[in-house]
Amino acid sequence: MNWTDHAEALADRVTHTASRWHGPVATTPRHLFVPRWWHRAPEGWTLDDGEADPGQWLDAAYSDRTLVTRVGPLHADHAKPDDHPAGLPTSSSTLPSLVVRMFQHARLDDGHDLADIGTGSGYGAALAARRLGERHITSLDVDPYLVDAARDRLAETGLRPTVAAHDATAELPGTFDRIVATVAVRPIPPTWLAALRPGGRLVTTIAGTSLIITADKNDDGGATGRVEWDRAGFMHARHGDDYPPGIGNLLQEARTRETTAELGTYPVVDVANAWDLASMLDLTAPGIEHHYERSGEQRTALMAHADGSWARAVGRGHEQPEVHQGGPRRLWDLLSELRTYWLAEGELPVRGAKVFIGPDGTTVIARGTWHVKLTP
């Protein structure tokens, strides 16, 4: 299979030719790390098998997009053609441009020892190993199968970094100059700070948000940094075979429950895809799940929280919607308060905010008079 031209073209798309990441992208056979993957279809998650369609395999593997490799507990490698698993994605091969950007945020330099948190397919570990050398890379994932498959596929490309099955939110196996996580956490695990060498740097995202945090270790064992203007969405770090059950029933109840209708201030919005708005909402009221659908001009947004709060907003186009909400908190009102703040101030304060991380992982994000604390 002639993959080298495809990899070279991918490198041209996701890096500059003068970048030290251009060579690793151009010489890494991404297709070997993702032989099978899932895509969404009307019937649910549907399997793609690269060997059954080599042309599609090359097109998918060398596109700048995320390829989902595991849904719930079912990895694509173990699936049958007629499988349609339910649940959330639990592993993937992240789009290459984002993998490169996360490493660039880490300011990696020759000789740095890197902890790559979230092995996934192993493609990111391969890029890092080609850039820094395999002996400088330790890649960790909670899933033993992912680790075994990634180790074998890395070896097939001639790379043998350290790859281990490990809950990366626990104590890390060693100390490192850089920690880059392609799984999201909340707050920052104190074990990461303990494993970071003096002057070291960590890069991660806050679970439930699209916020990339970069921070450099302080003398007191904590770290100081910022929320980058860049953005990313990663799966939450998990501690077992799958995520705990969600609150899908509450979302379904929100579709049909009735209360006294109110007229909303703002049009219905797809919160999950309004990344800054979703990030601010999750910082101030974490744990809300969302569903959005559109039929012609009609838009419907559902919100639900494990505390029993729920909301439903239905409207046409840019008109004010009819809103129903109940439970201990009024979720649509919380969202509307943030939208009012946005209009009054001209922006939401979280991008570019300062980040202060204590040795115990307590994380404060602040900009101007606004701040929020994330505690262990």
Side-chain angles (χ1 to χ4, degrees), residues 35-356:
R36 308 175 99 205
W37 65 98
W38 299 104
H39 75 271
R40 289 187 184 273
E43 60 271 29
W45 289 104
T46 299
L47 184 68
D48 286 306
D49 186 341
E51 291 188 353
D53 189 340
Q56 181 194 28
W57 191 7
L58 288 175
D59 288 343
Y62 297 99
S63 64
D64 188 29
R65 66 184 178 98
T66 293
L67 299 177
V68 173
T69 53
R70 193 176 188 274
V71 175
L74 183 58
H75 197 287
D77 290 354
H78 303 141
K80 299 187 293 294
D82 57 351
D83 281 335
H84 299 287
L88 297 173
T90 49
S91 191
S92 68
S93 178
T94 302
L95 66 160
S97 62
L98 180 54
V99 175
V100 169
R101 293 204 316 272
M102 293 294 282
F103 288 147
Q104 289 172 328
H105 282 305
R107 301 178 183 173
L108 291 162
D109 207 350
D110 295 346
H112 279 162
D113 291 325
L114 169 69
D116 168 45
I117 308 298
T119 304
S121 70
Y123 177 71
L127 296 184
R130 291 197 186 281
R131 166 67 186 85
L132 295 174
E134 59 187 29
R135 68 185 181 87
H136 291 290
I137 310 302
T138 298
S139 187
L140 305 173
D141 203 294
V142 73
D143 189 316
Y145 174 72
L146 293 178
V147 166
D148 290 343
R151 186 185 295 113
D152 290 345
R153 289 163 184 168
L154 284 159
E156 191 174 350
T157 69
L159 297 169
R160 290 174 174 80
T162 298
V163 187
H166 191 87
D167 184 342
T169 61
E171 183 177 354
L172 297 188
T175 61
F176 305 92
D177 301 295
R178 298 290 187 267
I179 296 174
V180 176
T182 50
V183 292
V185 293
R186 184 190 186 120
I188 307 300
T191 53
W192 293 7
L193 298 166
L196 200 60
R197 293 171 185 162
R201 184 175 179 86
L202 66 85
V203 182
T204 189
T205 51
I206 299 298
T209 77
S210 59
L211 306 180
I212 299 175
I213 302 294
T214 59
D216 301 314
K217 190 169 183 177
N218 301 327
D219 292 340
D220 66 359
T224 304
R226 61 177 287 177
V227 177
E228 296 292 338
W229 292 98
D230 196 1
R231 62 186 68 182
F234 287 110
M235 301 172 193
H236 294 203
R238 56 186 171 88
H239 307 285
D241 201 41
D242 198 356
Y243 295 114
I247 53 176
N249 288 341
L250 277 174
L251 278 171
Q252 288 306 312
E253 290 176 14
R255 185 186 298 277
T256 57
R257 295 178 71 172
E258 296 293 337
T259 61
T260 301
E262 305 168 350
L263 194 62
T265 305
Y266 303 109
V268 175
V269 63
D270 180 2
V271 178
N273 286 305
W275 284 26
D276 285 5
L277 185 60
S279 295
M280 280 293 297
L281 180 62
D282 202 83
L283 288 178
T284 55
I288 298 172
E289 293 193 16
H290 302 272
H291 176 77
Y292 173 84
E293 56 193 48
R294 185 168 182 170
S295 177
E297 284 295 304
Q298 182 168 296
R299 306 176 181 183
T300 301
L302 308 177
M303 304 171 69
H305 191 277
D307 68 4
S309 302
W310 61 274
R312 179 178 72 255
V314 181
R316 294 180 61 82
H318 293 167
E319 297 175 357
Q320 292 174 273
E322 180 178 283
V323 178
H324 296 261
Q325 51 188 337
R329 293 184 295 173
R330 298 170 70 82
L331 301 183
W332 193 260
D333 289 354
L334 292 175
L335 178 65
S336 295
E337 288 170 9
L338 289 177
R339 297 174 79 177
T340 298
Y341 181 101
W342 197 343
L343 288 173
E345 302 297 330
E347 65 175 345
L348 294 171
V350 68
R351 302 282 170 196
K354 295 180 180 179
V355 175
F356 306 93

